[in-house]
Amino acid sequence: MSATWLPPEQYAETLMKATAFACLFFTDEEDRPVQLRAVYSQAHPWQWPGGTMDPGERPWETAVRECREETGMVVEGPTRLLAAVYGLPGAEWPYSTVGFVFDGGRLTADRIAGITLDPAEHDAVRVLSPREWRAYMPERDFARLRAVLEARRTGVTAYFDAWDWDD
């Protein structure tokens, strides 16, 4: 540790850089996860409504905005954090990633049928049991799904720190 204090703007340049995302996790009334198929990601095809935080935006605001943009659904809360997600930077992306997975609740069949996808981002909605989801997801994505399901079941927030860019 240096005995010399740096001005805040210089000190900030020495710190780790990270991007942040927030999303909403939904299930149907039988607790089967609802996921969207991304048109832009073959590596992570099945996702939850969410995205990168805009400047000045808080995580919950991001999750609600992204859900509305991607599905047409308006979610009001209550706010319940299911998981914190962390990933190290890699060759594809030079920053660490910090994420927040919020509980969006249980959706009725009518609400799921009413989802309106943004075709620039997603082209399908699926509702499957966790066992069925395994066949459609890379191992790391499925491990995150299991952690979020366990967090919802137990009420204990999950910490998932295996979301690295180079894995």
Side-chain angles (χ1 to χ4, degrees):
M1 185 166 160
S2 171
T4 305
W5 286 92
L6 293 174
E9 64 278 359
Q10 288 179 9
Y11 177 66
E13 289 302 314
T14 70
L15 299 175
M16 175 188 81
K17 305 298 185 273
T19 56
F21 73 88
C23 59
L24 285 164
F25 175 75
F26 295 100
T27 61
D28 69 357
E29 293 177 304
E30 297 175 35
D31 287 329
R32 297 178 302 179
V34 177
Q35 296 196 83
L36 314 177
R37 186 171 57 205
V39 299
Y40 54 83
S41 178
Q42 291 183 351
H44 306 285
W46 292 97
Q47 304 177 357
W48 306 315
T52 305
M53 292 173 57
D54 287 343
E57 200 170 45
R58 297 178 188 277
W60 175 251
E61 294 169 333
T62 298
V64 169
R65 174 184 55 77
E66 288 281 349
C67 182
R68 185 184 70 254
E69 291 173 4
E70 294 177 3
T71 68
M73 290 191 301
V74 175
V75 178
E76 296 180 6
T79 306
R80 179 177 175 214
L81 183 65
L82 291 177
V85 179
Y86 178 79
L88 293 170
E92 269 189 69
W93 188 250
Y95 302 112
S96 293
T97 302
V98 177
F100 304 88
V101 181
F102 293 100
D103 193 345
R106 290 174 177 85
L107 301 176
T108 64
D110 286 344
R111 191 119 188 246
I112 293 168
I115 289 174
T116 304
L117 297 177
D118 175 353
E121 295 199 48
H122 301 97
D123 65 0
V125 177
R126 267 203 193 143
V127 180
L128 300 171
S129 71
R131 181 180 47 77
E132 292 169 313
W133 272 120
R134 178 63 199 99
Y136 294 96
M137 303 175 74
E139 182 55 41
R140 179 175 58 161
D141 294 13
F142 187 66
R144 185 179 68 159
L145 174 64
R146 282 192 323 257
V148 169
L149 282 165
E150 182 69 6
R152 185 195 256 183
R153 186 185 69 75
T154 64
V156 177
T157 303
Y159 172 66
F160 190 79
D161 68 353
W163 200 247
D164 301 347
W165 279 91
D166 284 343
D167 284 341

